[in-house]
């Protein structure tokens, strides 16, 4: 899916928050990751795809007019039902940053990104019995996606660059290097504003596309 990007300044406030959250998560992981290579990530694609597809029922429930998009009113009802208490400014930031085509409505893939961003920004649940999104399975899916980003973020600065991608594609066998154009191609797919840096928000849109929520076929990792 292509992005009709607006001004990068539009997203600075939200992306700065996401960057800080990722830096904290990286420090909290103490260098431990569930993933050791790109191939180990790809092995998780079927489980990730199933987890993300489960969000469709939630999306359709709040798409009250069956338009294929969720407008602001429908989104507010959704957040209230999920007991996700956000300030009006936060909701507006999330809406604009996820409405990548400027249609004034959140499509299904955009809705996935929006929920994942909320999950990250809200932090740990204050209750031992109540999950942040009301779905432990969905939270496991989002935790896995966050782990993927942390694996790719080699220098731990909360954003991705080309050097991060090259290093990630060569782990754990640097002697058997992948062609550098593969990492560059994957990076280009994420770096929509072409500023040489990829935020977690940009990463999410690309990664969901790679996992393939609308297809049963896996995205090839060779890039050839």
């Amino acid at each position: 899916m292509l992005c009709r990007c607006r001004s990068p300044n539009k997203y600075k406030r939200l992306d700065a928050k996401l960057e800080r959250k990722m830096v904290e998560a990286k420090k909290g992981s103490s260098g431990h990751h569930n993933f050791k290579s790109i191939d180990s990530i790809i092995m998780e694609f079927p489980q990730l795809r199933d987890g993300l597809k489960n969000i469709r029922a939630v999306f359709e429930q709040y798409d009250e007019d069956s338009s294929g998009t969720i407008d602001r009113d429908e989104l507010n009802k959704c957040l209230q039902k999920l007991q996700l208490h956000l300030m009006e400014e936060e909701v507006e930031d999330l809406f604009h940053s996820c409405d990548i085509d400027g249609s004034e409505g959140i499509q299904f893939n955009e809705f996935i990104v929006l929920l994942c961003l909320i999950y990250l920004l809200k932090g740990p649940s204050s209750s031992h019995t109540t999950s942040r999104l009301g779905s432990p399975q969905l939270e496991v899916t989002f935790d896995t996606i966050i782990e993927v980003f942390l694996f790719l973020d080699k220098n731990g600065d909360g954003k991705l660059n080309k050097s991060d991608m090259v290093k990630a594609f060569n782990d754990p066998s640097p002697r058997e290097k992948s062609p550098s154009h593969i990492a560059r191609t994957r990076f280009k797919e994420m770096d929509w504003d072409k500023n040489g840096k990829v935020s977690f928000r940009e990463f999410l849109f690309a990664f969901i596309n790679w996992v393939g929520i609308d297809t049963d076929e896996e995205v090839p990792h060779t890039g050839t």
Side-chain angles (χ1 to χ4, degrees):
M1 181 176 181
L2 298 178
C3 167
R4 295 206 299 265
C5 289
R6 305 172 188 176
S7 169
N9 293 330
K10 187 76 174 179
Y11 312 124
K12 277 189 174 181
R13 182 167 53 196
L14 177 61
D15 284 346
K17 291 181 181 179
L18 296 171
E19 187 176 311
R20 289 194 295 270
K21 282 287 186 179
M22 279 304 177
V23 169
E24 293 172 5
K26 187 76 170 183
K27 291 179 179 178
S29 68
S30 300
H32 173 73
H33 299 294
N34 292 326
F35 298 111
K36 303 299 182 185
S37 67
I38 293 294
D39 284 346
S40 67
I41 293 172
I42 292 172
M43 291 291 290
E44 290 292 318
F45 276 17
Q47 290 83 0
L48 287 169
R49 188 181 304 121
D50 289 342
L52 295 176
K53 283 183 176 179
N54 288 334
I55 302 176
R56 188 173 290 279
V58 179
F59 179 84
E60 292 177 348
Q61 177 183 353
Y62 292 100
D63 178 20
E64 296 177 347
D65 57 3
S66 300
S67 64
T69 63
I70 289 181
D71 60 29
R72 281 178 175 78
D73 289 339
E74 292 169 335
L75 176 60
N76 283 322
K77 290 179 183 178
C78 174
L79 297 179
Q80 290 173 9
K81 184 68 174 181
L82 294 175
Q83 297 185 355
L84 297 171
H85 306 296
L86 300 171
M87 297 176 61
E88 184 177 348
E89 179 184 87
E90 293 177 311
V91 176
E92 278 298 303
D93 282 350
L94 286 162
F95 189 94
H96 283 298
S97 66
C98 293
D99 179 24
I100 56 174
D101 60 359
S103 64
E104 292 299 314
I106 301 297
Q107 300 175 40
F108 178 52
N109 68 316
E110 297 169 340
F111 185 65
I112 293 175
V113 172
L114 187 146
L115 285 185
C116 190
L117 294 182
I118 292 176
Y119 176 73
L120 176 64
L121 292 170
K122 291 296 287 182
S125 173
S126 59
S127 169
H128 293 294
T129 58
T130 304
S131 65
R132 271 176 277 178
L133 297 176
S135 171
Q137 181 185 7
L138 180 55
E139 294 191 6
V140 169
T141 299
F142 286 161
D143 281 336
T144 302
I145 294 174
I146 291 171
E147 274 283 330
V148 172
F149 185 92
L150 295 178
F151 169 79
L152 297 175
D153 182 15
K154 294 303 183 184
N155 64 6
D157 64 354
K159 51 188 176 290
L160 306 181
N161 56 45
K162 288 182 182 179
S163 177
D164 286 332
M165 291 298 290
V166 171
K167 290 178 181 178
F169 269 75
N170 289 331
D171 281 346
S173 302
R175 293 182 180 179
E176 299 178 6
K177 292 185 176 181
S178 299
S180 59
H181 75 273
I182 299 176
R184 288 198 301 268
T185 298
R186 291 290 174 254
F187 184 83
K188 186 177 180 181
E189 291 171 359
M190 295 186 290
D191 187 20
W192 288 346
D193 57 11
K194 297 180 173 31
N195 69 348
K197 302 173 184 178
V198 171
S199 68
F200 182 63
R201 177 180 54 83
E202 290 176 303
F203 160 80
L204 273 176
F205 278 108
F207 188 71
I208 289 171
N209 186 52
W210 297 343
V211 170
I213 55 173
D214 295 321
T215 177
D216 291 327
E217 297 179 3
E218 292 186 19
V219 177
H221 69 281
T222 60
T224 57

